Amino acid sequence: MSIGNLGELAHVWEAIREDYDTLSSDEYDQSVLDCAARLAADPAGRTAYAWTLGLVLMAPYLGYAIDDTGKPEAVAALQATDSALHDHPCTHDEHPYREHEEEFDLDLAEQLLGLSDPTAPWEEDHCREAWLCPRNIAGFARVALDIIERGTTWDVSPRLPIGTEETITRLSAVLHGHPRAGTDLEWELTAPAQDLAAATSQDRPGCLLTVHAVAAYAASDMCEAPSVLEELINALEKTLPYYADATCGHTQHAEPPRWAPDLAELGIQLSSAGGRARYERGRRQDEGPPLENLLCPVTLAQIAQDSLKSLRSRQSQLIADPNADAENAAGAFDGHRHGDTDGTVAT
């Protein structure tokens, strides 16, 4: 089951995985096309495992790209592999693809080389036979498909949309008061408002939590940009009618995190179907509150009203005096003044 230049290919595929946010690269596109062509030529063949895992490694690049170069070919090859192998009989109780989460991609290139050489050391949780099982290869084909086009496959570990972790990192740095070099501060603070204004009913609660975290920062003296306040206020005014008739039967509500970076991270996670699925999977392990309680419409209505009140207060102060000290602005970070903040969101 060996491929002569698999070591070189795995190195290239891993490099593309690490550099997935390159918008367009002829070299990367060619690697995708070559891999997809090899898989499409024999989707159930003895080396299908290598081309399938190669496309898993390169899938973030395809999912992030703004054009479709290589995407139709990769999707067609992966679908052919899934179709050819997913009903193949086997005796395995478990397959690695079922628990393959995003962080496990880091080891995939090395695992691929171990699969190609039965004499190489192998210390994985699952045996080589389970990895090379046709049903597992079909499962990894679905993993790749789900990375390329979120929500289009089944029975794979849920993932956040491509680039979400980077979004969380950038916004967290802003909310900590230490934005990364080159950060467009106004964009980081208004992007959550734009997401909220355009959100679907399923994504809206998560987007609202993110805006709540950002509003605390924007309502403090750390923000002196009227355009940021206006964008956030407009988004919240557009959102409130969705919760005008909010009712619930909860006797007690779960409190979202009060530490702004944590609240923003949770909100961003809950703004996508994959993120909500990840939350529920993790909740079953740490006994966190169920989503239906955490995202109760009554709680969300109060959050929107509180954020709107604090932002309007800060807006009025800037209109009255652009240099006003907003240390005591309603809804600001507790103890927040010129970067001195404990980072909690007032309730």
Side-chain angles (χ1 to χ4, degrees), residues 228-316:
V228 170
L229 296 168
E230 183 177 358
E231 192 90 41
L232 291 165
I233 288 170
N234 289 342
L236 288 165
E237 288 177 340
K238 182 177 179 179
T239 299
L240 266 175
Y242 291 107
Y243 300 104
D245 302 320
T247 59
C248 78
H250 301 128
T251 58
Q252 186 175 1
H253 291 115
E255 283 194 20
R258 296 191 70 245
W259 175 247
D262 289 348
L263 177 60
E265 179 175 358
L266 176 64
I268 293 171
Q269 177 182 358
L270 300 185
S271 299
S272 68
R276 292 187 290 274
R278 282 171 62 95
Y279 176 87
E280 281 297 301
R281 172 178 284 201
R283 183 187 70 81
R284 290 192 291 270
Q285 299 173 0
D286 62 19
E287 299 182 352
L291 282 178
E292 65 182 35
N293 189 292
L294 181 63
L295 301 180
C296 169
V298 172
T299 299
L300 294 172
Q302 189 63 53
I303 283 174
Q305 291 164 2
D306 290 346
S307 293
L308 196 53
K309 180 181 178 180
S310 65
L311 291 167
R312 284 171 172 165
S313 175
R314 176 59 170 159
Q315 186 182 52
S316 296

Coordinates of all heavy atoms in Angstrom, one line a residue, residues 228-316:
V228 N -18.6 53.4 15.8 CA -18.7 52.1 16.4 C -20.0 52.0 17.2 O -20.7 51.0 17.2 CB -17.5 51.8 17.3 CG1 -17.7 50.6 18.1 CG2 -16.2 51.7 16.4
L229 N -20.2 53.0 18.1 CA -21.4 53.0 18.9 C -22.7 53.0 18.0 O -23.6 52.2 18.3 CB -21.4 54.3 19.8 CG -20.3 54.4 20.8 CD1 -20.3 55.8 21.4 CD2 -20.5 53.3 21.9
E230 N -22.7 53.8 16.9 CA -23.9 53.8 16.1 C -24.1 52.4 15.4 O -25.3 52.0 15.4 CB -23.6 54.8 15.0 CG -24.8 55.0 14.1 CD -24.6 56.1 13.0 OE1 -23.6 56.8 13.1 OE2 -25.5 56.3 12.2
E231 N -23.1 51.8 15.0 CA -23.2 50.5 14.4 C -23.8 49.4 15.4 O -24.7 48.7 15.0 CB -21.9 50.0 13.8 CG -21.9 48.8 12.9 CD -22.1 49.1 11.5 OE1 -21.4 50.1 11.0 OE2 -22.9 48.5 10.8
L232 N -23.3 49.4 16.6 CA -23.7 48.5 17.6 C -25.2 48.8 18.0 O -26.0 47.9 18.1 CB -22.8 48.6 18.8 CG -21.4 48.0 18.6 CD1 -20.5 48.5 19.8 CD2 -21.5 46.5 18.5
I233 N -25.5 50.1 18.1 CA -26.9 50.5 18.5 C -27.9 50.1 17.4 O -28.9 49.6 17.7 CB -26.9 52.0 18.8 CG1 -26.2 52.3 20.1 CG2 -28.4 52.5 18.8 CD1 -26.0 53.8 20.3
N234 N -27.5 50.3 16.2 CA -28.4 50.0 15.1 C -28.7 48.5 15.0 O -29.8 48.1 14.8 CB -27.8 50.5 13.7 CG -27.8 52.0 13.6 OD1 -28.6 52.7 14.3 ND2 -27.0 52.5 12.7
A235 N -27.7 47.7 15.3 CA -27.8 46.2 15.2 C -28.8 45.8 16.4 O -29.6 44.9 16.2 CB -26.5 45.6 15.3
L236 N -28.6 46.4 17.5 CA -29.4 46.0 18.7 C -30.8 46.5 18.5 O -31.8 45.7 18.9 CB -28.8 46.6 20.0 CG -27.5 45.9 20.5 CD1 -26.8 46.7 21.5 CD2 -27.9 44.5 21.0
E237 N -31.0 47.6 17.9 CA -32.4 48.1 17.7 C -33.1 47.2 16.7 O -34.3 47.0 16.8 CB -32.3 49.6 17.2 CG -32.0 50.6 18.3 CD -31.8 52.0 17.7 OE1 -31.7 52.2 16.5 OE2 -31.9 52.9 18.6
K238 N -32.4 46.7 15.7 CA -32.9 45.8 14.7 C -33.3 44.5 15.4 O -34.2 43.8 14.9 CB -32.0 45.6 13.6 CG -32.5 44.8 12.5 CD -31.5 44.7 11.3 CE -32.0 43.8 10.2 NZ -31.1 43.7 9.0
T239 N -32.5 44.1 16.4 CA -32.7 42.8 17.0 C -33.8 42.7 18.0 O -34.5 41.7 18.2 CB -31.3 42.4 17.7 OG1 -30.3 42.3 16.7 CG2 -31.4 41.0 18.4
L240 N -34.0 43.8 18.8 CA -34.9 43.8 19.9 C -36.3 43.3 19.5 O -37.0 42.6 20.3 CB -35.0 45.1 20.6 CG -34.1 45.3 21.8 CD1 -34.1 46.7 22.3 CD2 -34.5 44.3 22.9
P241 N -36.9 43.7 18.3 CA -38.2 43.3 18.0 C -38.4 41.8 17.9 O -39.5 41.2 18.1 CB -38.4 43.9 16.6 CG -37.6 45.1 16.6 CD -36.4 44.7 17.4
Y242 N -37.3 41.0 17.6 CA -37.4 39.6 17.6 C -37.7 39.0 19.0 O -38.1 37.8 19.1 CB -36.1 39.0 17.1 CG -35.8 39.3 15.6 CD1 -34.8 40.2 15.2 CD2 -36.6 38.6 14.6 CE1 -34.6 40.4 13.8 CE2 -36.3 38.9 13.3 CZ -35.4 39.8 12.9 OH -35.1 40.0 11.6
Y243 N -37.4 39.8 20.0 CA -37.6 39.3 21.4 C -38.7 40.1 22.1 O -38.8 40.0 23.3 CB -36.3 39.4 22.2 CG -35.2 38.5 21.6 CD1 -34.2 39.1 20.8 CD2 -35.2 37.1 21.7 CE1 -33.2 38.4 20.3 CE2 -34.2 36.4 21.1 CZ -33.2 37.0 20.4 OH -32.2 36.2 19.8
A244 N -39.5 40.8 21.3 CA -40.6 41.7 21.9 C -41.6 40.9 22.8 O -42.1 41.4 23.8 CB -41.3 42.5 20.9
D245 N -41.9 39.7 22.3 CA -42.9 38.9 23.0 C -42.3 37.7 23.7 O -42.9 36.6 23.9 CB -44.0 38.4 22.0 CG -44.7 39.5 21.3 OD1 -45.0 40.5 22.0 OD2 -44.9 39.4 20.1
A246 N -41.0 37.8 24.2 CA -40.3 36.7 24.7 C -41.0 36.3 26.0 O -41.3 37.1 26.9 CB -38.9 37.1 25.0
T247 N -41.1 35.0 26.1 CA -41.6 34.3 27.4 C -40.8 33.0 27.6 O -40.2 32.5 26.7 CB -43.1 34.0 27.3 OG1 -43.3 33.1 26.2 CG2 -44.0 35.2 27.1
C248 N -40.9 32.5 28.8 CA -40.2 31.3 29.1 C -40.9 30.6 30.3 O -41.6 31.2 31.0 CB -38.7 31.4 29.3 SG -38.3 32.1 30.9
G249 N -40.5 29.3 30.5 CA -41.0 28.6 31.6 C -39.9 28.2 32.6 O -40.1 27.4 33.5
H250 N -38.8 28.9 32.4 CA -37.6 28.5 33.3 C -37.8 29.1 34.7 O -38.2 30.3 34.9 CB -36.3 29.0 32.7 CG -36.0 28.5 31.3 ND1 -35.7 29.3 30.2 CD2 -36.0 27.2 30.9 CE1 -35.5 28.6 29.2 NE2 -35.7 27.3 29.5
T251 N -37.5 28.3 35.7 CA -37.5 28.8 37.1 C -36.2 29.5 37.4 O -36.1 30.3 38.3 CB -37.7 27.7 38.1 OG1 -36.7 26.7 37.9 CG2 -39.1 27.1 37.8
Q252 N -35.1 29.2 36.7 CA -33.8 29.8 36.9 C -33.1 29.9 35.6 O -33.2 28.9 34.8 CB -33.0 29.0 37.9 CG -31.7 29.7 38.3 CD -31.0 28.9 39.4 OE1 -31.5 27.9 39.9 NE2 -29.9 29.5 39.8
H253 N -32.4 31.0 35.3 CA -31.7 31.1 34.1 C -30.2 31.0 34.3 O -29.6 31.4 35.3 CB -31.9 32.5 33.5 CG -33.3 32.7 33.0 ND1 -34.2 33.6 33.5 CD2 -34.0 32.1 32.0 CE1 -35.4 33.6 32.9 NE2 -35.3 32.6 31.9
A254 N -29.6 30.3 33.3 CA -28.1 30.2 33.3 C -27.5 31.5 32.9 O -27.9 32.2 32.0 CB -27.7 29.1 32.3
E255 N -26.4 31.9 33.7 CA -25.8 33.2 33.4 C -24.6 32.9 32.4 O -23.8 32.0 32.6 CB -25.2 33.8 34.6 CG -26.2 34.5 35.5 CD -25.5 35.3 36.6 OE1 -24.3 35.7 36.4 OE2 -26.2 35.7 37.6
P256 N -24.6 33.7 31.3 CA -23.4 33.6 30.4 C -22.2 34.1 31.1 O -22.3 34.8 32.2 CB -23.8 34.5 29.2 CG -24.8 35.5 29.8 CD -25.5 34.7 30.9
P257 N -21.0 33.8 30.6 CA -19.8 34.3 31.2 C -19.8 35.8 31.4 O -20.3 36.6 30.5 CB -18.7 33.9 30.3 CG -19.3 32.8 29.5 CD -20.7 33.1 29.4
R258 N -19.2 36.3 32.5 CA -19.1 37.8 32.7 C -17.8 38.3 32.3 O -17.6 39.5 32.2 CB -19.4 38.1 34.2 CG -20.8 37.8 34.7 CD -21.1 38.3 36.0 NE -21.2 39.8 36.0 CZ -20.4 40.6 36.6 NH1 -19.3 40.2 37.3 NH2 -20.6 42.0 36.5
W259 N -16.8 37.5 32.0 CA -15.5 37.9 31.5 C -15.6 38.1 30.0 O -15.9 37.2 29.3 CB -14.4 36.8 31.9 CG -13.1 37.0 31.3 CD1 -12.5 36.3 30.4 CD2 -12.2 38.1 31.7 NE1 -11.2 36.7 30.1 CE2 -11.0 37.9 30.9 CE3 -12.2 39.1 32.6 CZ2 -9.9 38.7 31.0 CZ3 -11.1 40.0 32.7 CH2 -9.9 39.7 31.9
A260 N -15.5 39.3 29.6 CA -15.8 39.7 28.2 C -15.2 38.8 27.1 O -15.9 38.4 26.2 CB -15.5 41.2 28.0
P261 N -13.9 38.5 27.2 CA -13.3 37.7 26.2 C -14.0 36.3 26.1 O -14.2 35.7 25.0 CB -11.8 37.6 26.5 CG -11.6 38.9 27.3 CD -12.8 39.1 28.1
D262 N -14.3 35.7 27.3 CA -14.9 34.4 27.3 C -16.3 34.5 26.8 O -16.8 33.6 26.1 CB -15.0 33.9 28.8 CG -13.7 33.5 29.3 OD1 -12.7 33.4 28.5 OD2 -13.5 33.3 30.5
L263 N -17.1 35.6 27.1 CA -18.4 35.8 26.5 C -18.4 35.9 25.0 O -19.2 35.3 24.3 CB -19.0 37.0 27.2 CG -20.4 37.4 26.7 CD1 -21.4 36.2 26.9 CD2 -20.9 38.7 27.3
A264 N -17.4 36.7 24.5 CA -17.3 36.8 23.1 C -17.0 35.5 22.4 O -17.6 35.2 21.4 CB -16.2 37.9 22.7
E265 N -16.1 34.7 23.0 CA -15.7 33.4 22.4 C -17.0 32.5 22.4 O -17.2 31.8 21.4 CB -14.6 32.8 23.2 CG -14.2 31.4 22.7 CD -13.0 30.8 23.4 OE1 -12.5 31.5 24.3 OE2 -12.7 29.7 23.1
L266 N -17.7 32.5 23.5 CA -18.9 31.7 23.5 C -19.9 32.1 22.5 O -20.5 31.3 21.8 CB -19.6 31.7 24.9 CG -20.9 31.0 25.1 CD1 -20.7 29.5 24.9 CD2 -21.5 31.2 26.5
G267 N -20.1 33.4 22.4 CA -21.1 34.0 21.4 C -20.7 33.6 20.0 O -21.5 33.2 19.2
I268 N -19.4 33.7 19.6 CA -18.9 33.4 18.3 C -19.1 31.9 18.0 O -19.6 31.5 17.0 CB -17.4 33.8 18.1 CG1 -17.3 35.3 18.1 CG2 -16.9 33.2 16.8 CD1 -15.9 35.8 18.2
Q269 N -18.8 31.1 19.0 CA -19.0 29.6 18.9 C -20.5 29.3 18.6 O -20.8 28.5 17.7 CB -18.6 28.9 20.1 CG -18.8 27.4 20.1 CD -18.4 26.7 21.4 OE1 -17.9 27.3 22.3 NE2 -18.6 25.4 21.4
L270 N -21.4 30.0 19.4 CA -22.8 29.6 19.2 C -23.5 30.3 18.0 O -24.7 30.1 17.8 CB -23.6 30.0 20.5 CG -23.1 29.3 21.8 CD1 -24.0 29.7 23.0 CD2 -23.1 27.8 21.6
S271 N -22.7 31.0 17.2 CA -23.2 31.7 16.1 C -23.2 30.8 14.8 O -23.5 31.3 13.7 CB -22.4 33.0 15.8 OG -22.6 33.9 16.9
S272 N -22.8 29.6 15.0 CA -22.8 28.6 13.9 C -23.4 27.3 14.3 O -23.3 26.9 15.5 CB -21.4 28.4 13.3 OG -20.6 27.8 14.3
A273 N -23.9 26.5 13.4 CA -24.5 25.2 13.7 C -23.4 24.3 14.2 O -23.6 23.6 15.2 CB -25.1 24.6 12.5
G274 N -22.2 24.3 13.6 CA -21.1 23.5 14.1 C -20.7 23.9 15.5 O -20.4 23.0 16.3
G275 N -20.7 25.1 15.8 CA -20.3 25.6 17.1 C -21.3 25.2 18.2 O -20.9 24.8 19.3
R276 N -22.6 25.3 17.8 CA -23.6 24.8 18.8 C -23.5 23.3 19.0 O -23.7 22.9 20.2 CB -25.0 25.2 18.3 CG -25.2 26.7 18.3 CD -26.6 27.1 17.9 NE -27.0 26.8 16.6 CZ -26.8 27.7 15.5 NH1 -26.2 28.8 15.8 NH2 -27.2 27.4 14.3
A277 N -23.2 22.6 18.0 CA -23.1 21.1 18.2 C -21.9 20.8 19.0 O -21.9 19.9 19.9 CB -22.9 20.4 16.8
R278 N -20.8 21.6 18.9 CA -19.6 21.4 19.7 C -19.9 21.7 21.1 O -19.4 21.0 22.1 CB -18.4 22.3 19.2 CG -17.7 21.7 17.9 CD -16.8 22.8 17.4 NE -15.7 23.1 18.3 CZ -14.5 22.5 18.4 NH1 -14.2 21.6 17.5 NH2 -13.6 22.9 19.2
Y279 N -20.7 22.8 21.4 CA -21.0 23.2 22.7 C -21.8 22.0 23.4 O -21.5 21.7 24.5 CB -21.9 24.4 22.7 CG -22.3 24.8 24.1 CD1 -21.6 25.6 25.0 CD2 -23.6 24.4 24.6 CE1 -22.0 25.9 26.2 CE2 -24.0 24.7 25.9 CZ -23.2 25.4 26.7 OH -23.7 25.8 28.0
E280 N -22.8 21.5 22.7 CA -23.6 20.4 23.3 C -22.8 19.2 23.5 O -23.0 18.5 24.6 CB -24.8 20.1 22.3 CG -25.9 21.1 22.4 CD -26.5 21.1 23.8 OE1 -27.0 20.1 24.3 OE2 -26.5 22.2 24.4
R281 N -21.8 18.9 22.7 CA -21.0 17.7 22.9 C -20.1 17.9 24.1 O -20.0 17.1 25.0 CB -20.1 17.5 21.7 CG -19.0 16.4 21.9 CD -18.2 16.2 20.7 NE -18.9 15.4 19.7 CZ -18.3 14.7 18.7 NH1 -17.0 14.7 18.6 NH2 -19.1 14.0 17.9
G282 N -19.5 19.1 24.3 CA -18.7 19.4 25.4 C -19.5 19.5 26.7 O -19.1 19.2 27.8
R283 N -20.8 20.0 26.6 CA -21.6 20.2 27.8 C -21.9 18.9 28.4 O -22.0 18.8 29.6 CB -22.9 20.9 27.3 CG -23.9 21.2 28.5 CD -25.2 21.7 28.0 NE -26.0 20.6 27.3 CZ -26.7 19.7 28.0 NH1 -26.7 19.7 29.3 NH2 -27.3 18.8 27.3
R284 N -22.1 17.9 27.6 CA -22.4 16.6 28.2 C -21.2 16.0 29.1 O -21.4 15.2 29.9 CB -22.7 15.6 27.1 CG -24.0 15.9 26.4 CD -24.4 14.7 25.5 NE -23.6 14.5 24.3 CZ -23.8 15.1 23.2 NH1 -24.8 15.9 23.0 NH2 -23.0 15.0 22.2
Q285 N -20.0 16.6 28.8 CA -18.9 16.2 29.6 C -18.6 17.0 30.8 O -18.2 16.5 31.9 CB -17.6 16.2 28.7 CG -17.7 15.3 27.5 CD -16.5 15.5 26.5 OE1 -15.6 16.3 26.8 NE2 -16.5 14.7 25.5
D286 N -18.9 18.4 30.7 CA -18.6 19.2 31.9 C -19.9 19.7 32.6 O -19.9 20.5 33.5 CB -17.8 20.4 31.5 CG -18.5 21.3 30.4 OD1 -19.7 21.2 30.3 OD2 -17.8 22.1 29.8
E287 N -21.1 19.2 32.2 CA -22.3 19.5 32.8 C -22.7 21.0 32.8 O -23.2 21.5 33.7 CB -22.4 19.0 34.2 CG -22.2 17.5 34.3 CD -22.3 17.0 35.7 OE1 -22.3 17.8 36.7 OE2 -22.3 15.7 35.9
G288 N -22.3 21.7 31.7 CA -22.7 23.1 31.5 C -24.2 23.2 31.2 O -24.9 22.2 31.0
P289 N -24.7 24.4 31.3 CA -26.2 24.6 31.0 C -26.6 24.2 29.6 O -25.8 24.5 28.7 CB -26.4 26.1 31.3 CG -25.0 26.7 31.0 CD -24.0 25.7 31.5
P290 N -27.7 23.6 29.4 CA -28.2 23.3 28.0 C -28.5 24.6 27.3 O -28.8 25.7 27.9 CB -29.5 22.5 28.3 CG -29.9 22.9 29.6 CD -28.7 23.2 30.4
L291 N -28.3 24.6 26.0 CA -28.5 25.8 25.2 C -29.9 26.4 25.3 O -30.0 27.6 25.3 CB -28.3 25.4 23.7 CG -26.8 25.3 23.2 CD1 -26.8 24.9 21.8 CD2 -26.1 26.5 23.5
E292 N -30.9 25.6 25.5 CA -32.3 26.2 25.6 C -32.4 27.0 26.8 O -33.3 27.9 26.9 CB -33.3 25.0 25.6 CG -33.2 24.1 26.8 CD -34.2 23.0 26.8 OE1 -34.5 22.5 25.7 OE2 -34.7 22.6 27.8
N293 N -31.6 26.8 27.9 CA -31.6 27.6 29.1 C -30.7 28.8 28.9 O -31.0 29.9 29.2 CB -31.2 26.7 30.3 CG -31.4 27.5 31.6 OD1 -30.7 28.5 31.9 ND2 -32.4 27.0 32.4
L294 N -29.5 28.5 28.4 CA -28.5 29.6 28.3 C -29.0 30.6 27.3 O -28.7 31.8 27.5 CB -27.2 28.9 27.7 CG -26.0 29.9 27.5 CD1 -25.6 30.5 28.8 CD2 -24.8 29.1 26.9
L295 N -29.7 30.2 26.2 CA -30.1 31.1 25.2 C -31.6 31.4 25.3 O -32.3 31.5 24.3 CB -29.8 30.6 23.8 CG -28.3 30.3 23.6 CD1 -28.1 29.8 22.2 CD2 -27.5 31.6 23.8
C296 N -32.1 31.4 26.5 CA -33.5 31.7 26.8 C -33.9 33.1 26.2 O -33.2 34.1 26.4 CB -33.8 31.7 28.3 SG -35.4 32.4 28.7
P297 N -35.0 33.2 25.4 CA -35.3 34.5 24.8 C -35.6 35.6 25.8 O -35.3 36.8 25.5 CB -36.6 34.2 24.0 CG -37.1 32.9 24.5 CD -35.9 32.1 25.0
V298 N -36.0 35.3 27.0 CA -36.2 36.3 28.0 C -34.9 36.9 28.4 O -34.7 38.1 28.6 CB -37.0 35.8 29.2 CG1 -37.0 36.8 30.4 CG2 -38.4 35.4 28.8
T299 N -33.9 36.0 28.6 CA -32.5 36.4 29.0 C -31.9 37.2 27.8 O -31.3 38.3 28.1 CB -31.7 35.2 29.3 OG1 -32.2 34.5 30.4 CG2 -30.2 35.6 29.6
L300 N -32.1 36.8 26.6 CA -31.6 37.5 25.5 C -32.2 38.9 25.3 O -31.5 39.9 25.0 CB -31.8 36.7 24.2 CG -31.0 35.4 24.1 CD1 -31.4 34.6 22.9 CD2 -29.5 35.6 24.1
A301 N -33.5 39.0 25.6 CA -34.1 40.3 25.5 C -33.5 41.3 26.5 O -33.3 42.4 26.2 CB -35.6 40.2 25.7
Q302 N -33.3 40.8 27.7 CA -32.7 41.6 28.8 C -31.2 42.0 28.4 O -30.8 43.2 28.6 CB -32.7 40.9 30.1 CG -32.3 41.8 31.3 CD -33.2 42.9 31.5 OE1 -34.4 42.7 31.6 NE2 -32.7 44.1 31.5
I303 N -30.5 41.1 27.8 CA -29.1 41.4 27.4 C -29.1 42.5 26.3 O -28.3 43.4 26.4 CB -28.5 40.1 26.9 CG1 -28.0 39.2 28.0 CG2 -27.3 40.4 26.0 CD1 -27.5 37.8 27.6
A304 N -30.0 42.4 25.4 CA -30.1 43.4 24.3 C -30.5 44.7 24.9 O -29.9 45.8 24.5 CB -31.1 42.9 23.3
Q305 N -31.4 44.8 25.8 CA -31.8 46.0 26.4 C -30.7 46.7 27.2 O -30.5 47.9 27.2 CB -33.1 45.8 27.3 CG -34.3 45.5 26.5 CD -35.4 44.9 27.4 OE1 -35.3 44.7 28.6 NE2 -36.5 44.5 26.7
D306 N -30.0 45.8 28.0 CA -28.9 46.3 28.8 C -27.8 46.9 28.0 O -27.2 48.0 28.2 CB -28.3 45.2 29.7 CG -29.3 44.8 30.8 OD1 -30.3 45.6 31.1 OD2 -29.1 43.7 31.4
S307 N -27.4 46.2 26.9 CA -26.4 46.6 26.0 C -26.8 47.9 25.3 O -26.0 48.9 25.2 CB -26.1 45.6 24.9 OG -25.5 44.4 25.5
L308 N -28.0 48.0 24.9 CA -28.5 49.2 24.2 C -28.5 50.4 25.2 O -28.1 51.5 24.8 CB -29.9 49.0 23.7 CG -30.5 49.9 22.6 CD1 -29.5 50.0 21.5 CD2 -31.8 49.4 22.2
K309 N -28.9 50.2 26.4 CA -28.9 51.3 27.4 C -27.5 51.8 27.6 O -27.2 53.0 27.6 CB -29.5 50.8 28.7 CG -29.5 51.8 29.8 CD -30.1 51.3 31.1 CE -30.1 52.3 32.2 NZ -30.7 51.7 33.5
S310 N -26.5 50.9 27.8 CA -25.1 51.4 28.0 C -24.5 52.1 26.8 O -23.8 53.1 27.0 CB -24.2 50.2 28.5 OG -24.1 49.3 27.4
L311 N -24.8 51.6 25.7 CA -24.3 52.2 24.4 C -24.9 53.6 24.2 O -24.2 54.6 23.8 CB -24.5 51.3 23.2 CG -23.7 50.0 23.2 CD1 -24.3 49.1 22.2 CD2 -22.2 50.3 22.9
R312 N -26.2 53.7 24.4 CA -26.8 55.0 24.2 C -26.3 56.0 25.3 O -26.1 57.2 24.9 CB -28.3 54.9 24.4 CG -29.0 54.3 23.2 CD -30.5 53.9 23.5 NE -31.2 53.5 22.3 CZ -32.4 52.9 22.3 NH1 -33.0 52.7 23.4 NH2 -32.9 52.5 21.1
S313 N -26.0 55.6 26.5 CA -25.5 56.5 27.5 C -24.1 57.0 27.1 O -23.8 58.2 27.2 CB -25.3 55.7 28.8 OG -24.7 56.5 29.8
R314 N -23.3 56.1 26.5 CA -21.9 56.5 26.1 C -22.0 57.4 24.9 O -21.3 58.4 24.8 CB -21.1 55.3 25.7 CG -19.7 55.6 25.1 CD -18.9 56.4 26.1 NE -17.5 56.5 25.6 CZ -16.6 57.4 25.9 NH1 -17.0 58.3 26.8 NH2 -15.4 57.4 25.5
Q315 N -23.0 57.1 24.0 CA -23.2 58.0 22.8 C -23.6 59.4 23.2 O -23.1 60.4 22.7 CB -24.3 57.4 21.9 CG -24.4 58.1 20.6 CD -25.6 57.5 19.7 OE1 -26.7 57.3 20.2 NE2 -25.2 57.1 18.5
S316 N -24.5 59.5 24.2 CA -24.9 60.8 24.7 C -23.7 61.6 25.3 O -23.6 62.8 25.1 CB -26.0 60.7 25.7 OG -27.2 60.1 25.2

